[in-house]
Amino acid sequence: MFEQVSAEFFIPAKAISTVLALPMGRFNSVGSRTDNFYLNEHVGRSLASAATEKKLPSKVVLGSDEDKEDAPAAGWFKGLVWSPAGLVITDLMLTKRAQELIANREYIYFAPVFYANAEIPNDLIGLVLTNNPQLRRLAYGR
Protein backbone atom coordinates (compact mmCIF):
# COMPACT_ATOMS: atom_id res chain seq x y z
CA MET A 1 0.00 0.00 0.00
CA PHE A 2 1.30 3.45 -0.87
CA GLU A 3 0.92 6.40 1.46
CA GLN A 4 1.30 10.09 0.67
CA VAL A 5 3.36 11.91 3.27
CA SER A 6 5.17 15.22 3.74
CA ALA A 7 8.67 16.12 4.96
CA GLU A 8 10.00 19.51 6.07
CA PHE A 9 12.93 21.71 5.23
CA PHE A 10 13.37 25.28 6.46
CA ILE A 11 13.25 27.97 3.74
CA PRO A 12 16.01 30.59 3.87
CA ALA A 13 14.89 34.21 3.43
CA LYS A 14 16.73 34.63 0.12
CA ALA A 15 16.38 33.62 -3.52
CA ILE A 16 15.72 29.91 -3.94
CA SER A 17 16.43 27.71 -6.94
CA THR A 18 17.66 24.51 -5.31
CA VAL A 19 15.96 22.70 -2.43
CA LEU A 20 16.85 19.55 -0.51
CA ALA A 21 13.64 17.61 -1.09
CA LEU A 22 14.36 14.39 0.80
CA PRO A 23 17.38 13.78 3.05
CA MET A 24 19.69 10.81 2.86
CA GLY A 25 19.16 8.64 5.91
CA ARG A 26 16.27 8.32 8.31
CA PHE A 27 13.43 10.75 8.95
CA ASN A 28 10.09 10.36 10.72
CA SER A 29 6.66 11.90 11.05
CA VAL A 30 5.37 13.79 14.07
CA GLY A 31 1.88 14.44 15.35
CA SER A 32 -0.81 11.81 14.92
CA ARG A 33 1.34 9.77 12.53
CA THR A 34 4.46 7.96 13.65
CA ASP A 35 5.84 6.63 10.36
CA ASN A 36 9.58 6.25 9.84
CA PHE A 37 11.23 6.62 6.45
CA TYR A 38 14.63 5.88 4.97
CA LEU A 39 16.29 7.14 1.79
CA ASN A 40 19.53 5.66 0.46
CA GLU A 41 21.56 6.49 -2.65
CA HIS A 42 20.05 3.71 -4.79
CA VAL A 43 16.46 4.85 -4.12
CA GLY A 44 17.40 8.53 -4.43
CA ARG A 45 19.00 8.02 -7.83
CA SER A 46 15.95 6.06 -8.96
CA LEU A 47 13.61 8.88 -7.85
CA ALA A 48 15.77 11.46 -9.67
CA SER A 49 15.75 9.39 -12.85
CA ALA A 50 11.97 8.90 -12.72
CA ALA A 51 11.42 12.65 -12.27
CA THR A 52 13.42 13.53 -15.37
CA GLU A 53 11.30 11.09 -17.38
CA LYS A 54 8.02 12.77 -16.39
CA LYS A 55 6.50 14.86 -19.17
CA LEU A 56 5.05 17.52 -16.83
CA PRO A 57 6.72 19.33 -13.92
CA SER A 58 5.72 18.72 -10.31
CA LYS A 59 3.58 21.31 -8.54
CA VAL A 60 4.26 23.44 -5.46
CA VAL A 61 1.14 24.46 -3.51
CA LEU A 62 0.42 26.53 -0.41
CA GLY A 63 -0.11 24.61 2.84
CA SER A 64 -3.79 25.46 3.07
CA ASP A 65 -4.33 24.05 -0.43
CA GLU A 66 -2.29 20.86 -0.11
CA ASP A 67 -5.30 18.51 -0.31
CA LYS A 68 -6.87 20.17 -3.33
CA GLU A 69 -5.89 18.70 -6.69
CA ASP A 70 -6.94 21.85 -8.54
CA ALA A 71 -5.27 24.29 -6.10
CA PRO A 72 -3.44 27.17 -7.80
CA ALA A 73 0.28 26.59 -8.19
CA ALA A 74 2.79 28.37 -5.98
CA GLY A 75 5.53 27.06 -8.26
CA TRP A 76 6.89 24.18 -10.31
CA PHE A 77 9.93 21.91 -10.55
CA LYS A 78 11.13 19.05 -12.72
CA GLY A 79 14.86 18.65 -12.13
CA LEU A 80 15.92 16.25 -9.38
CA VAL A 81 19.47 15.06 -8.75
CA TRP A 82 21.10 12.88 -6.14
CA SER A 83 23.72 14.44 -3.86
CA PRO A 84 25.47 13.18 -0.72
CA ALA A 85 22.87 15.15 1.30
CA GLY A 86 19.91 13.50 -0.44
CA LEU A 87 17.48 14.25 -3.26
CA VAL A 88 17.82 17.85 -4.50
CA ILE A 89 15.42 19.89 -6.63
CA THR A 90 17.57 21.89 -9.06
CA ASP A 91 15.10 24.09 -10.92
CA LEU A 92 12.52 25.36 -8.45
CA MET A 93 10.46 28.17 -9.98
CA LEU A 94 8.15 29.96 -7.53
CA THR A 95 5.32 32.29 -8.46
CA LYS A 96 5.57 35.95 -7.50
CA ARG A 97 2.97 35.38 -4.77
CA ALA A 98 4.94 32.47 -3.26
CA GLN A 99 8.16 34.50 -3.37
CA GLU A 100 6.43 37.33 -1.50
CA LEU A 101 4.98 34.98 1.13
CA ILE A 102 8.45 33.52 1.74
CA ALA A 103 10.15 36.95 1.80
CA ASN A 104 7.56 38.13 4.35
CA ARG A 105 8.17 34.92 6.39
CA GLU A 106 4.48 33.97 6.08
CA TYR A 107 5.64 30.48 5.09
CA ILE A 108 8.95 29.09 6.35
CA TYR A 109 9.06 25.40 5.37
CA PHE A 110 8.95 23.31 2.23
CA ALA A 111 7.19 20.00 2.78
CA PRO A 112 7.90 17.53 -0.01
CA VAL A 113 4.97 15.26 -0.74
CA PHE A 114 5.79 11.72 -1.76
CA TYR A 115 4.43 8.22 -1.98
CA ALA A 116 6.12 5.53 0.09
CA ASN A 117 5.95 1.77 0.27
CA ALA A 118 6.65 0.75 3.86
CA GLU A 119 9.48 3.10 4.88
CA ILE A 120 10.94 3.70 1.41
CA PRO A 121 9.93 6.81 -0.61
CA ASN A 122 9.12 5.81 -4.19
CA ASP A 123 7.70 8.91 -5.90
CA LEU A 124 8.21 12.59 -5.11
CA ILE A 125 5.03 14.20 -6.41
CA GLY A 126 5.24 17.80 -5.23
CA LEU A 127 6.09 20.38 -2.59
CA VAL A 128 3.94 22.25 -0.11
CA LEU A 129 4.76 25.62 1.42
CA THR A 130 3.75 25.22 5.06
CA ASN A 131 4.27 26.30 8.64
CA ASN A 132 3.28 22.92 10.07
CA PRO A 133 5.55 20.23 8.60
CA GLN A 134 4.80 16.65 9.60
CA LEU A 135 8.18 14.96 9.14
CA ARG A 136 11.51 15.52 10.86
CA ARG A 137 14.98 14.36 9.98
CA LEU A 138 16.45 11.79 12.38
CA ALA A 139 19.96 11.30 11.04
CA TYR A 140 22.21 12.60 8.31
CA GLY A 141 24.44 10.76 5.85
CA ARG A 142 23.46 7.15 6.43
Side-chain angles (χ1 to χ4, degrees), residues 83-95:
S83 81
L87 194 60
V88 176
I89 295 169
T90 59
D91 63 347
L92 181 63
M93 297 175 291
L94 295 172
T95 63

Side-chain angles (χ1 to χ4, degrees), residues 1-6 33 35-37 43 46-47 113-125:
M1 174 122 186
F2 297 109
E3 293 184 55
Q4 183 175 322
V5 295
S6 299
R33 297 182 62 152
D35 298 324
N36 293 303
F37 300 96
V43 172
S46 176
L47 290 171
V113 180
F114 59 93
Y115 288 104
N117 188 358
E119 67 175 15
I120 308 298
N122 58 22
D123 188 13
L124 178 65
I125 58 173

Side-chain angles (χ1 to χ4, degrees), residues 21-119:
L22 292 171
M24 173 139 174
R26 296 197 177 278
F27 50 101
N28 73 316
S29 60
V30 296
S32 62
R33 297 182 62 152
T34 57
D35 298 324
N36 293 303
F37 300 96
Y38 181 76
L39 182 68
N40 62 27
E41 182 175 357
H42 173 75
V43 172
R45 287 188 184 277
S46 176
L47 290 171
S49 177
T52 60
E53 294 173 8
K54 289 181 180 178
K55 298 208 184 289
L56 299 173
S58 297
K59 186 175 176 181
V60 181
V61 298
L62 298 178
S64 61
D65 298 326
E66 64 187 290
D67 294 327
K68 299 177 186 170
E69 178 114 358
D70 62 348
W76 302 94
F77 68 91
K78 186 165 173 48
L80 289 173
V81 297
W82 178 255
S83 81
L87 194 60
V88 176
I89 295 169
T90 59
D91 63 347
L92 181 63
M93 297 175 291
L94 295 172
T95 63
K96 183 177 179 180
R97 178 175 180 228
Q99 291 174 28
E100 290 169 353
L101 291 169
I102 291 167
N104 292 335
R105 309 308 288 157
E106 293 178 58
Y107 284 95
I108 61 171
Y109 294 101
F110 281 119
V113 180
F114 59 93
Y115 288 104
N117 188 358
E119 67 175 15

Side-chain angles (χ1 to χ4, degrees), residues 8-24:
E8 59 81 18
F9 300 100
F10 187 72
I11 303 171
K14 59 179 179 150
I16 304 161
S17 62
T18 61
V19 172
L20 178 63
L22 292 171
M24 173 139 174

